[in-house]
Amino acid sequence: VQLQASGGGSVQAGGSLRLSCAASGRTFSSYCMGWFRQAPGKERELLAAFSRNGASTHYADSVKGRFTISRDNAKNTVYLQMNSLKPEDTAVYYCAAEVACYSYIVSADPGDYDYWGQGTLVTVSS
């Protein structure tokens, strides 16, 4: 499985960006798919994720109500719509896939994810 993340860039506070993660592989729809971010000096954190087969979605409290994860199985692509961006959202954003996962449960542990995109930088200025 290869993941290709794109859509990062620079935006002013209050603005929006949409990240995309294009995945190869025929069983994309059965994976748990997540978006993480890592700011300098901080640990990689889970922002949003789909459980297996997209049965449920999960969001970190820090982005709930501002970010939305979605997927297009026909295009093998997962998106992260980010609205009301804040300077503290500045980070490198990664998409990731977990193969052996569950419906209705997602892991926040980056170590549980099997495949990673290359990361895309999001910079939010005040």
Side-chain angles (χ1 to χ4, degrees):
V1 176
Q2 291 186 327
L3 303 177
Q4 181 72 35
S6 62
S10 297
V11 64
Q12 289 189 328
S16 299
L17 285 173
R18 188 176 80 156
L19 306 182
S20 300
C21 177
S24 63
R26 298 176 59 186
T27 57
F28 165 81
S29 61
S30 67
Y31 298 163
C32 288
M33 298 294 299
W35 282 99
F36 289 77
R37 71 184 177 192
Q38 188 165 20
K42 295 188 176 181
E43 295 185 349
R44 193 168 296 190
E45 62 169 332
L46 178 68
L47 303 175
F50 280 109
S51 62
R52 184 179 177 85
N53 292 320
S56 64
T57 55
H58 302 262
Y59 293 93
D61 288 342
S62 59
V63 304
K64 199 172 294 183
R66 299 189 299 125
F67 291 10
T68 302
I69 190 171
S70 61
R71 64 195 296 164
D72 185 335
N73 289 337
K75 295 182 179 180
N76 275 6
T77 301
V78 175
Y79 304 96
L80 185 68
Q81 178 67 43
M82 306 186 295
N83 299 327
S84 301
L85 283 162
K86 305 174 182 179
E88 51 264 43
D89 294 318
T90 295
V92 178
Y93 285 67
Y94 300 90
C95 59
E98 182 184 9
V99 177
C101 62
Y102 304 93
S103 298
Y104 304 107
I105 299 174
V106 299
S107 172
D109 183 353
D112 288 337
Y113 287 76
D114 303 285
Y115 302 100
W116 291 85
Q118 81 284 11
T120 184
L121 177 63
V122 173
T123 303
V124 184
S125 59
S126 58

